Amino acid sequence: MTTPGRRPSTTRSRISAIAIDLFTERGFDETSVDDIAAAAGIARRTLFRYYPSKNAIAWGDFDTHLAGMRGHLAGLPPTMGLADALRSSLVAFNHLDPAEVPAHRRRMALLLTVPALQAHSMLMYAGWRQVVADYVAGVTDERPGDHRPQTIAWLLLGVALAAYGQWLADDDADLDHLLTQGSRILDRGL
Amino acid sequence: MTTPGRRPSTTRSRISAIAIDLFTERGFDETSVDDIAAAAGIARRTLFRYYPSKNAIAWGDFDTHLAGMRGHLAGLPPTMGLADALRSSLVAFNHLDPAEVPAHRRRMALLLTVPALQAHSMLMYAGWRQVVADYVAGVTDERPGDHRPQTIAWLLLGVALAAYGQWLADDDADLDHLLTQGSRILDRGL
DNA sequence: ACTATAGTGGCACCCGGTGCCAGAAAGCCA
DNA sequence: TGGCTTTCTGGCACCGGGTGCCACTATAGT
């Protein structure tokens, strides 16, 4: 019944967790891929089968998360206005259980402060923007590549990243609130 | 009168132009740093004194351009509203003489389509956002790191990048118009 | 036991990037 | 003219991320 072949010796999420620990302790540049592989108990070559790059390790499995957001948007009632729909799914998609907060903070601190990861993140955001642009295009009967859907996708990303920046800078900050507040600027305009 | 020491054997802009030619012809990944150095008639080691990375070569001297935008914003009349100020300098900063268009198109096509350059661009945009956030903070009497200035900086960046995306996709597109149109979404809200 | 399948890990190699150091071209001054 | 200082050049060795290739190991099914 089960698939044949050798079982994987670890998981993507475990590797990501181990790597984030190392990055946080020693620093990203000071942690080599060999260090991560050793800590995870696998060979360097094997590590690169779990993740295509050192940068990608810090993100973990973002694609799964992204599919969740797509599903959330698709399940929204068609009567809902664009601004409300985007704000609600932005908040829902980034909502955290209190237990998850510390781990998420450490991951996001790396992603938003380490230059190599800031840069790499741009490629992840592209997928995220695609989800938003697809939704906007569906609602307004445009193509996802058109100017308006693309602009709105960029704007919403901006709201998200600005909110995360504030959240990281203040230990007591409420991410939901920051996202809502940022969405309001977008909603009503400058 | 003139400074002592050996004269530089080339210039940053010349290297950037040569590299963009090669990237456009052969592709970014297929062009090695040694290829660029050879085409520029300098040693690989010397090339890395002109630019800190292969990615940076594609951007040329963005810092100079950025200082121009900062100056433009500083010269705006204080009576001007925020939305108008940002829109006008966005357009002014990205305005092109017809003669410059083809070269700029090739550069931007690389920056917005080659993954390594998309990623690296994020680091350039950080400086750009800083300029905007500083301006907004000055006008609204906040700190540049506060939520609103940061959000607006992200939003304006989104407008710019979405406009560039459209501009690149259509040979006849008018960048000024696209930027103005995008600013309007930001201005009036969703 | 035999075979098909999927994961592991070692090796060699490429390329981007850096530290180090010797040498080359310029100005300045005796 | 010959030295002195300054700045740029380029060669070399080295490091770390990433890949192609291949042999090996573990599992399931017959």
Side-chain angles (χ1 to χ4, degrees):
Chain A
M1 223 32 343
T2 46
T3 57
R6 185 174 178 168
R7 307 289 111 193
S9 61
T10 182
T11 64
R12 283 172 58 89
S13 65
R14 203 180 80 92
I15 292 174
S16 186
I18 289 172
I20 285 177
D21 283 349
L22 292 175
F23 293 158
T24 305
E25 285 170 29
R26 303 189 210 166
F28 182 81
D29 292 328
E30 289 70 32
T31 305
S32 74
V33 170
D34 299 78
D35 293 338
I36 303 169
I42 58 177
R44 163 202 176 75
R45 190 65 185 84
T46 303
L47 179 55
F48 279 111
R49 291 210 184 82
Y50 282 86
Y51 285 101
S53 72
K54 181 185 177 185
N55 289 333
I57 302 176
W59 272 90
D61 55 348
F62 186 59
D63 290 353
T64 306
H65 220 200
L66 212 56
M69 178 155 174
R70 182 162 244 133
H72 183 270
L73 280 166
L76 257 35
T79 60
M80 190 179 267
L82 187 58
D84 287 342
L86 294 179
R87 180 170 20 77
S88 84
S89 52
L90 185 61
V91 171
F93 178 62
N94 290 290
H95 183 75
L96 296 168
D97 287 352
E100 304 169 321
V101 169
H104 195 57
R105 271 196 112 92
R106 282 191 306 154
R107 164 173 272 137
M108 293 310 293
L110 289 167
L111 294 180
L112 297 190
T113 58
V114 175
L117 295 179
Q118 288 180 31
H120 178 76
S121 298
M122 192 63 145
L123 306 178
M124 301 289 140
Y125 300 150
W128 192 91
R129 287 187 289 109
Q130 185 67 45
V131 171
V132 176
D134 286 346
Y135 174 76
V136 174
V139 167
T140 62
D141 204 31
E142 294 166 293
R143 283 162 305 181
D146 286 348
H147 191 199
R148 229 178 65 94
Q150 289 290 314
T151 300
I152 292 175
W154 272 113
L155 294 177
L156 200 68
L157 177 63
V159 168
L161 292 178
Y164 266 105
Q166 295 301 117
W167 182 64
L168 285 176
D170 177 3
D171 275 346
D172 300 327
D174 176 12
L175 184 55
D176 288 14
H177 178 67
L178 287 163
L179 289 167
T180 305
Q181 210 171 339
S183 301
R184 203 160 292 145
I185 298 179
L186 178 54
D187 202 7
R188 311 196 197 169
L190 299 181
Chain B
M1 220 46 327
T2 46
T3 58
R6 184 174 177 170
R7 305 288 125 213
S9 62
T10 182
T11 63
R12 282 173 58 89
S13 64
R14 203 180 79 92
I15 292 174
S16 186
I18 289 172
I20 285 178
D21 283 351
L22 291 176
F23 292 158
T24 306
E25 285 171 29
R26 303 188 211 168
F28 182 82
D29 292 327
E30 289 69 33
T31 305
S32 73
V33 170
D34 300 77
D35 292 337
I36 303 169
I42 59 178
R44 163 202 177 73
R45 189 66 185 85
T46 303
L47 179 55
F48 278 111
R49 290 211 183 82
Y50 282 86
Y51 286 101
S53 72
K54 182 184 175 184
N55 289 333
I57 302 176
W59 271 90
D61 54 348
F62 186 58
D63 290 353
T64 307
H65 220 200
L66 212 54
M69 177 155 174
R70 181 161 244 132
H72 184 269
L73 279 167
L76 256 37
T79 59
M80 189 179 267
L82 188 58
D84 286 343
L86 294 179
R87 180 168 21 76
S88 83
S89 52
L90 185 61
V91 171
F93 178 62
N94 290 290
H95 184 75
L96 297 168
D97 287 352
E100 303 169 320
V101 169
H104 195 57
R105 272 195 111 91
R106 281 191 306 153
R107 165 172 272 137
M108 293 308 295
L110 288 167
L111 294 179
L112 296 190
T113 58
V114 175
L117 295 178
Q118 288 179 32
H120 178 77
S121 298
M122 193 63 146
L123 305 178
M124 302 288 142
Y125 300 151
W128 191 90
R129 287 187 291 109
Q130 185 67 44
V131 171
V132 176
D134 286 346
Y135 174 76
V136 174
V139 168
T140 63
D141 203 32
E142 294 166 291
R143 283 163 304 183
D146 285 347
H147 192 198
R148 231 178 64 93
Q150 289 291 315
T151 300
I152 293 175
W154 272 112
L155 294 177
L156 200 67
L157 177 62
V159 168
L161 292 178
Y164 265 105
Q166 295 301 118
W167 182 64
L168 284 176
D170 177 4
D171 277 345
D172 300 327
D174 176 13
L175 185 56
D176 289 14
H177 179 67
L178 288 164
L179 288 167
T180 305
Q181 211 172 340
S183 301
R184 203 159 296 146
I185 299 179
L186 179 55
D187 202 7
R188 310 205 240 235
L190 299 181

